[in-house]
Amino acid sequence: QVQLVESGGGLVQTGTSLRLSCTASGIRLVNYAVGWFRQAIGKEREFIAASLYSTDYADSVKGRFTISRDNAKNTIYLEMSSLKPEDTAVYYCAADSRYRDLIQNEGDYWGQGTQVTVSS
């Protein structure tokens, strides 16, 4: 059984930083394209960042967020800095065997999400 489990969300103030983690079981993330997505209340889920041989970021987070992997821990991370109230959302990690599918908001495997709330 494949599971992706996010952690690290919480309530933070504008301008601060937060690191999200996503640990997998049942698959080896090193063999997959991995990414982060978010969904705010009343909005559709949106792509944030993805990584395989290179990385891609949504314009809204470029320069502020960084995706990384620790293959030994079978974990990916999302380092978020200079957080803004508009970053408030549920954040999801995902993995897909095809990078192109992942960055188009399709994933073979998804986590359950972790809430990030940025207060002004």
Side-chain angles (χ1 to χ4, degrees):
Q1 182 180 359
V2 177
Q3 279 192 312
L4 301 181
V5 179
E6 301 98 336
S7 60
L11 172 63
V12 296
Q13 293 186 331
T14 296
T16 60
S17 300
L18 199 62
R19 187 178 79 162
L20 305 182
S21 302
C22 171
T23 300
S25 58
I27 58 171
R28 293 292 301 165
L29 292 178
V30 67
N31 298 320
Y32 288 81
V34 294
W36 289 94
F37 300 78
R38 68 186 180 189
Q39 187 168 21
I41 294 175
K43 296 186 177 181
E44 294 186 350
R45 186 174 62 201
E46 63 172 343
F47 164 78
I48 294 299
S51 171
L52 184 55
Y53 303 114
S54 60
T55 56
D56 285 290
Y57 295 94
D59 288 343
S60 59
V61 304
K62 200 171 293 183
R64 298 190 299 124
F65 290 12
T66 302
I67 185 172
S68 61
R69 300 173 181 253
D70 185 331
N71 292 330
K73 295 183 178 180
N74 210 25
T75 297
I76 64 170
Y77 303 98
L78 185 68
E79 298 273 3
M80 306 184 292
S81 62
S82 302
L83 284 163
K84 306 174 183 179
E86 49 265 43
D87 294 319
T88 294
V90 178
Y91 283 70
Y92 300 89
C93 63
D96 198 289
S97 55
R98 296 181 58 159
Y99 191 79
R100 181 182 302 175
D101 290 346
L102 185 69
I103 63 175
Q104 292 178 347
N105 216 341
E106 298 177 9
D108 292 334
Y109 307 107
W110 291 88
Q112 82 290 350
T114 186
Q115 177 71 46
V116 173
T117 303
V118 184
S119 64
S120 56

